[in-house]
Structures are given as C-alpha cells and as structure tokens.
Amino acid sequence: MLKFGGSSLATPELIRSAALRAASFAGQGRKTAVVVSAMGKATDELLGLAKTIAPLKTDRRELDRLLATGEQQSAALFTIALTAEGCSARSFSGVEAGFLAEGAWGEGRIISVDPVRIESAADSGHVAVITGFQARTREGETITLGRGGSDLTAISLAAALGADECRIFTDVDGIYSADPRIVPGAFKLDRIGWDECLEMAFCGARVMQARSVEMAGKMNIRMCVASSFQESEGTWIMERIVDEAAVIRSVASDDNLVVLTVEGEMENQRTLMEAFSSEGVHTTVMVGCSGMAFHIEGTRLPEALKICARLEGCSVSVNEGLSRVSVIGPGAGNHPEVCRTMLNTMEKIGAAVHMLMSSAFSVTCVLDRERSEEAVRALHEEFIEKKGVFQCA
C-alpha cells in the first residue's frame, strides 16, 4: 500500500514522478494499491471558495461534497500518468473502494471497509488508485474523514486488504525529534512505536494524522513515512519497543490551542461536552472548582462559541494566547524526574507554566504562546541533545 500526500502531487511533473515510483513497486511483481490526497493546496483553495460564497455559515454536507472533488482529480490524473508509463491502472472513489463511515460532517469515522472492487482490480493486474479522505454514510451520502484523512484511508485499506506495510510519501524525509524549523539540531528517527507516534500527533506534531496512527496500531500495520523527492528510507512506525527505561525521543508543540473556561450549572457543562462531541469539535477537558476548561483546536473556535451560545446559564471566557509543549517517550509520565526536569528547564528560561499534565507517553506543560519555540529548543537540548546527561531511574 502506497499513499502520496498533496505536496507530492502539487504539479503535473510531481504527479508523473510519483506515478513512476508507484509503477516501480508494481513492476517488482507486488500487488500495489495507491491512495492519493488532493493536489497541493487544493483543499484549502476549495475551503476558501466556500467561505467566499458563504462567509458566515457553510452547509457542512455540501462542503464535504465539494472537498471530495479534490481527491477525485488527483486519482484520475495519477491513473492517467500510470497508464502513460505502460502500467495498467484504475481509479476508484472512497465510496467505490467500500468505505463506510458515520459521524459529524467533516469528521466521519470509519465503521467498515469492503474492498471487493480493489481486490478484483489487483487480481486483474491493475494498480488501484483510490481517493483518500472520503467515504459514504449508510444513507449513501459522501462524508469526509477530517484533515489528514487520506492517511487514515491508506492505513484502513491496507488492513482490509491484508497488506504487509503502508508507505506514506510526503514532503519530509521522516519523523524528527522536533520540528527542524524550530530546532536546527533535530534529527530523523529511524524507528518509533505506534503508541509513541500517536502521542506525538496528539501533542501537536504535524507529520501524521492521529487517527491513522491509532488505526495502524490496532490493525498491526507497519508504516513508513518517507520523502517523495528522495530515496532515503524514512521513519518506520511499527511494533512496540520493549524497554523499561524512560527515554525522551521527541519534543512537540501545539500552538493551535484555545482554552474555553465554562462556569455554570454542571448539567449545562455536561450538555456542552455532548454538543462538542456531536459536532466533531475535539476537546481535552480539565475540571476545576470554578468550572470546566475545554482545550480545543483554534480553528474550531467559531463553531465552539456558537455551541456555547445555545446554552443558558453558562459564562464562557476565551484564552487564545496559550500553547502546549510536550516531551514524548515511552514511560515519560511514570518517572517524576521527567516532570521535575521539565519544570526546572522552564524556570531557567523564565517561562511560566500554567498547567502540567502527564500520560504514559508524555509530559506536557501549558505556557504563553510567545514562549513556545524557546521552550521547545530548551527541552530538546535538555532531554535529547545532552545524551547521557538526563537519566531516569
């Protein structure tokens, strides 16, 4: 199973180059299927068109139908490129590939994949090219799978087909210990476990969609994130690494964070949680004496505020000036040394920590957004660059 992201398909020349790579896999006698994203910034451009026409409110059903056209263009063009290279190929929409999903528009959740047409194409010697990011509902409607959903399409289809592996081709040559644009000394990871990569995605790393990594772990699918433009191996995401030591492998930040603090009747707060969930607004909830603090994606703030406005008896305050910065590695939250070192490092650079959270795979601090990049660099130096200095008992 191969997947090519939008940056790998941004121009006709890049589509031909990606098709050549796919043809080389098929030429080795492998049954090959390819999932494609929309070309370049096509999805953003379609969103922009919709917002221009309806700046205040866009019908989410129609938006899904609009956005699905981006991947359909890519699949047809990729198939044309393969055929021109003498490689027999057929394109399929997500619906034709057997994807069934349900949930909020724009956030469909896969409930089954029946790839009978893809298997038939492969048995006939064709390379199947499938549109990512889309499925159908039980009612036969087109629904999309959330931003980055083409990764999820590829992993789910790989599982349904019983594929040995899934290779994700993109504009980076792998997964790094931190964002190289922030930390010049960040280095590429050769291999990480599914759980660790999932934590990285949850904490703000932008390489993989979190849901796709979760699916890969559930279905035991080995995957490799590699560059479309280089021949390097990339980063393998695979089985769990057995080692009791806590080793910090990466640092990630999430600047797309908004905190909504809601005060009022507890029943209203529970209703609000249900409303956020039904509308596909993902939240992390902190409960305190004065109310609930909802951590949401900044891009969903307008929708979240509309949901809040429907409830009476609730007081809502908004803080858009915060970021989350996390250190990630197996066992991170189980070792108090990690929390202590993170707090000491933040104190050294004079960054106020508003909240500290931990899980089995990460320790996260919430701080002022203007200190985010400095904090990432300081934590990367302390936990990763000073190899042999940081020790966990």
Side-chain angles (χ1 to χ4, degrees):
M1 174 63 63
L2 311 177
K3 183 264 178 177
F4 291 92
S7 58
S8 305
L9 307 170
T11 66
E13 293 75 20
L14 289 175
I15 290 175
R16 284 195 292 267
S17 176
L20 280 172
R21 179 166 284 196
S24 71
F25 276 88
Q28 297 170 23
R30 306 184 190 185
K31 289 185 177 180
T32 303
V34 180
V35 170
V36 293
S37 297
M39 293 175 62
K41 300 293 183 181
T43 299
D44 289 334
E45 291 168 0
L46 290 170
L47 284 169
L49 283 172
K51 190 172 182 179
T52 299
I53 292 170
L56 298 180
K57 182 177 176 60
T58 304
D59 186 301
R60 294 299 295 272
R61 174 186 180 273
E62 299 305 322
L63 189 61
D64 272 11
R65 296 175 71 84
L66 173 66
L67 296 182
T69 64
E71 279 71 20
Q72 290 166 9
Q73 291 177 1
S74 290
L77 291 169
F78 199 100
T79 303
I80 290 169
L82 280 171
T83 303
E85 294 298 330
C87 182
S88 180
R90 295 287 184 273
S91 66
F92 299 87
S93 69
V95 172
E96 292 167 337
F99 281 81
L100 187 66
E102 61 183 12
W105 298 114
E107 293 289 339
R109 298 278 171 164
I110 295 171
I111 53 178
S112 67
V113 182
D114 182 12
V116 59
R117 294 188 65 177
I118 308 305
E119 291 174 325
S120 177
D123 290 341
S124 300
H126 301 304
V127 173
V129 182
I130 302 98
T131 59
F133 179 59
Q134 57 193 253
R136 71 170 179 87
T137 67
R138 297 184 191 276
E139 293 75 31
E141 302 272 15
T142 296
I143 188 170
T144 63
L145 306 177
R147 294 306 295 260
S150 293
D151 289 344
L152 182 60
T153 300
I155 296 298
S156 302
L157 187 57
L161 293 170
D164 295 329
E165 62 189 34
C166 181
R167 293 177 181 258
I168 308 291
F169 292 106
T170 182
D171 57 354
V172 297
D173 61 349
I175 299 175
Y176 277 70
S177 58
D179 187 336
R181 294 169 297 184
I182 299 174
V183 182
F187 58 87
K188 184 169 68 73
L189 303 172
D190 293 328
R191 171 184 163 186
I192 59 173
W194 292 299
D195 290 339
E196 186 179 350
C197 187
L198 176 60
E199 196 75 11
M200 289 176 68
F202 179 78
C203 292
R206 297 285 186 258
V207 176
M208 290 287 297
Q209 186 208 43
R211 288 163 57 192
S212 66
V213 181
E214 180 183 357
M215 179 67 76
K218 285 180 179 178
M219 304 308 297
N220 201 35
I221 300 294
R222 300 167 68 248
M223 52 183 177
C224 181
V225 178
S227 172
S228 295
F229 316 118
Q230 302 175 20
E231 293 299 327
S232 59
E233 182 65 5
T235 299
W236 281 96
I237 308 167
M238 51 204 307
E239 63 271 8
R240 297 166 181 83
I241 300 168
V242 180
D243 186 346
E244 191 172 4
V247 179
I248 301 304
R249 304 280 306 283
S250 61
V251 181
S253 61
D254 182 6
D255 294 337
N256 184 28
L257 172 68
V258 170
V259 179
L260 296 182
T261 302
V262 181
E263 299 179 9
E265 296 294 330
M266 184 60 69
E267 184 61 36
N268 278 343
Q269 294 172 4
R270 285 195 292 267
T271 301
L272 192 58
M273 290 178 65
E274 293 173 0
F276 283 153
S277 177
S278 65
E279 293 290 333
V281 178
H282 302 301
T283 64
T284 301
V285 183
M286 307 295 170
V287 181
C289 297
S290 59
M292 289 185 174
F294 294 88
H295 291 198
I296 68 169
E297 297 177 13
T299 52
R300 306 301 296 272
L301 178 60
E303 297 165 78
L305 290 177
K306 288 179 182 178
I307 294 170
C308 292
R310 297 203 295 259
L311 292 180
E312 297 181 358
C314 282
S315 172
V316 180
S317 60
V318 180
N319 190 336
E320 299 185 65
L322 301 175
S323 292
R324 296 185 305 168
V325 177
S326 307
V327 295
I328 301 156
N334 196 42
H335 293 261
E337 298 92 330
V338 177
C339 292
R340 185 174 66 245
T341 301
M342 172 176 267
L343 290 174
N344 288 342
T345 303
M346 293 302 94
E347 183 179 2
K348 287 179 183 177
I349 67 172
V353 175
H354 302 295
M355 186 178 296
L356 188 70
M357 302 168 284
S358 65
S359 72
F361 279 81
S362 68
V363 176
T364 298
C365 63
V366 176
L367 40 72
D368 295 328
R369 184 167 298 161
E370 61 266 20
R371 307 306 302 273
S372 173
E373 292 191 3
E374 182 185 3
V376 169
R377 287 190 288 268
L379 291 169
H380 190 274
E381 179 182 7
E382 187 65 34
F383 282 96
I384 297 176
E385 294 175 39
K386 293 181 179 179
K387 291 183 177 181
V389 175
F390 179 79
Q391 298 288 334
C392 282

